[in-house]
Amino acid sequence: MWRQRAVRSMLIEDVAGLRPRAAEKGDDAAAGAAERALDKAIRRGVLVVALDWIAIAILFLVRDLDFRFLDLGPTEDAVFTLGVLAVAAHSGFRLGQLEKLRAVARACRDLAERT
């Protein structure tokens, strides 16, 4: 059976893609650093998604009402449409990352509760 620290390390480093700072004080300090890195990544993900949604709202609020949305001709409407789609795609990507990070955090909590 795998050790709990090795499984937690594999979840955080390989699945979540995080590289927490190595702690010199021992296993408890390394586990704490890994948990802090995971929490920080989750907070950063929430912040980026919120900023993306705010950016989309601002784009719609400041646009000219004469513009047509989803017009892909050689006009300013096309630039607006592509900008909104790019920000929305980035938001979706970050939401996926956030869900993965939350799943890793849940798995680490469940692993800690089993001991």
Side-chain angles (χ1 to χ4, degrees):
M1 183 164 181
W2 289 3
R3 294 182 8 196
Q4 179 183 5
R5 184 174 54 101
V7 172
R8 182 179 291 150
S9 174
M10 182 182 65
L11 282 171
I12 291 175
E13 292 179 6
D14 295 338
V15 177
L18 299 175
R19 301 282 183 247
R21 294 182 184 163
E24 298 99 17
K25 295 185 179 181
D27 295 341
D28 292 335
E35 295 295 327
R36 283 190 305 274
L38 187 58
D39 291 339
K40 184 178 177 182
I42 290 173
R43 283 193 309 269
R44 188 174 49 242
V46 168
L47 177 67
V48 170
V49 169
L51 287 175
D52 282 344
W53 290 351
I54 290 169
I56 289 173
I58 289 172
L59 281 172
F60 275 105
L61 289 175
V62 299
R63 74 180 175 104
D64 189 12
L65 295 178
D66 294 336
F67 279 177
R68 290 179 294 160
F69 188 61
L70 294 177
D71 185 24
L72 292 178
T75 63
E76 294 174 2
D77 299 342
V79 174
F80 174 79
T81 299
L82 292 177
V84 169
L85 291 176
V87 173
H90 183 259
S91 176
F93 171 74
R94 293 298 269 187
L95 277 171
Q97 273 187 333
L98 186 60
E99 183 59 33
K100 180 174 70 169
L101 290 172
R102 285 180 176 163
V104 168
R106 261 192 318 273
C108 287
R109 275 195 311 271
D110 290 345
L111 187 62
E113 289 174 0
R114 290 183 184 181
T115 59

